[in-house]
Amino acid sequence: MSDHRNGLRRSSINLSDAIIPGLCAGCEARHIGLCDALADEDLHFLASVAKSHTVPKGRMFVAEGDKARHFFNINRGTAKLFKDLPDGRRQITGFVGAGDFVGLAAADHYAFTAEAINEVRLCRFDRTELRSVFTTFPALERRLLDVASHELILAQEQMLLLGRKSAIERLASFLLGWSDRAEICPNGAQALALPMTRADLGDYLGLTFETVSRALSALKRQNIVEVGKDHGVRILDRDRLSAFATSRS
C-alpha cells in the first residue's frame, strides 16, 4: 500500500469510533455487492460518495432515455427493469434485488426504466465522484468489471430461455435462478419470496399470465414446488426442478 492510501485509512478510522459507517451498518448488501470488495475500515471512502435513498413501491428511480449520470446498488427490496416498446407495450428485461447493480452498463443515456416492486433501499453513486475512489481502491473497479461480465452472461442465458425453452422449462429456470439469491432454510427447502406479479413474471419469461399459472400448477401437482401466500414458492424437489430447467425431465 502507498503511504497516501495508508494515511487515508488512518483518517477514516479517526473520523469515527465505529469502523463501519452508519450508512453501511445493517445493510443487506454489505457482503454481496460492491462493498464486499472493501475491508470494514475502508468503507468510509465508498460511503462518502454514496447517497442513500428509499424508493416507495411503484416509484421509478431510473427512466429510459434520461442521461446516465448515476448507477445504483440495491440494498433491500426488489425492482423490475423494463423497456417501452413503440406500440405502447412494456418488456420486462430483469428483476434486481439486494447486492445487484442498476445502470452499470449504461452509455450516455439509460436504455431501460427501473421501478420498485416493493419498497427499495439503495445507494446512488455519481459516476464522476466514484472514479476518485477507484484511484485509491482499484479492487472496486475490478469488482464492477466482474459485475459487467456477469450481466453479459445473464443476457445470453435470457436469450436461450426465450428462444429455445418451453413454458415449464422457462419457469423452472427462473425459480432456480431466483433461489440462488435466497438463503437456504434449515430444513433444506428454499422458501422464495416472489414479489413480482404473475403478469410481470410472464412478461419477463415471454409467456401469458395464464401460461405462467398453468406451468406453476403443473410443478405443484408433481410435488416439485409448493405455492404459499403472497406469491411465495417453496422448492420441494430441486433435482426434478433442475431436470425441467435443463430439458432432462
Side-chain angles (χ1 to χ4, degrees):
M1 300 291 178
S2 67
D3 293 339
H4 172 67
R5 175 167 174 177
N6 288 333
L8 288 176
R9 283 186 170 181
R10 288 193 295 271
S11 298
S12 70
I13 296 174
N14 293 335
L15 284 173
S16 173
D17 293 333
I19 293 178
I20 300 180
L23 178 65
C24 307
C27 175
E28 293 181 9
R30 165 65 183 99
H31 294 294
I32 55 176
L34 176 67
C35 305
D36 191 42
L38 294 179
D40 287 348
E41 62 266 26
D42 291 327
L43 283 175
H44 227 60
F45 298 103
L46 191 59
S48 70
V49 295
K51 305 296 183 184
S52 179
H53 291 274
T54 298
V55 184
K57 176 182 178 180
R59 181 76 57 84
M60 295 186 303
F61 57 95
V62 170
E64 183 177 358
D66 280 0
K67 194 171 181 64
R69 295 188 178 94
H70 307 96
F71 75 88
F72 308 83
N73 192 17
I74 307 296
N75 302 330
R76 180 181 301 172
T78 307
K80 59 183 177 182
L81 311 180
F82 61 86
K83 289 182 63 67
D84 290 317
L85 304 179
D87 60 4
R89 292 177 299 165
R90 286 182 172 181
Q91 174 62 54
I92 294 178
T93 59
F95 301 101
V96 291
D100 285 330
F101 294 90
V102 177
L104 179 61
D108 292 334
H109 296 81
Y110 296 116
F112 59 89
T113 297
E115 179 181 304
I117 293 177
N118 45 28
E119 184 179 88
V120 168
R121 292 187 61 184
L122 55 81
C123 283
R124 189 187 73 185
F125 297 94
D126 182 276
R127 292 172 180 270
T128 303
E129 292 180 355
L130 196 60
R131 291 194 186 101
S132 63
V133 181
F134 287 162
T135 301
T136 308
F137 299 101
L140 286 175
E141 190 168 20
R142 290 195 296 270
R143 175 58 60 87
L144 289 181
L145 289 174
D146 289 342
V147 172
S149 298
H150 184 61
E151 287 183 354
L152 290 176
I153 293 173
L154 292 178
Q156 292 172 342
E157 291 178 349
Q158 181 68 3
M159 291 173 62
L160 172 63
L161 181 146
L162 294 177
R164 295 294 182 180
K165 294 190 175 185
S166 68
I168 197 167
E169 290 167 357
R170 296 181 193 186
L171 181 59
S173 296
F174 174 80
L175 292 176
L176 284 174
W178 198 253
S179 73
D180 288 340
R181 311 162 59 96
E183 294 181 355
I184 306 300
C185 297
N187 60 7
Q190 297 185 36
L192 304 178
L194 300 180
M196 67 287 295
T197 65
R198 296 288 186 262
D200 281 348
L201 184 53
D203 190 359
Y204 175 66
L205 296 176
L207 304 170
T208 64
F209 169 89
E210 293 80 9
T211 303
V212 171
S213 297
R214 286 196 295 269
L216 192 58
S217 295
L219 293 174
K220 180 181 177 181
R221 285 195 302 271
Q222 298 181 57
N223 294 318
I224 297 174
V225 302
E226 177 181 275
V227 181
K229 297 180 180 179
D230 300 323
H231 304 292
V233 172
R234 184 181 296 273
I235 297 177
L236 303 178
D237 193 330
R238 187 179 180 88
D239 289 340
R240 292 179 65 197
L241 186 67
S242 181
F244 273 111
T246 55
S247 304
R248 293 184 288 105
S249 55

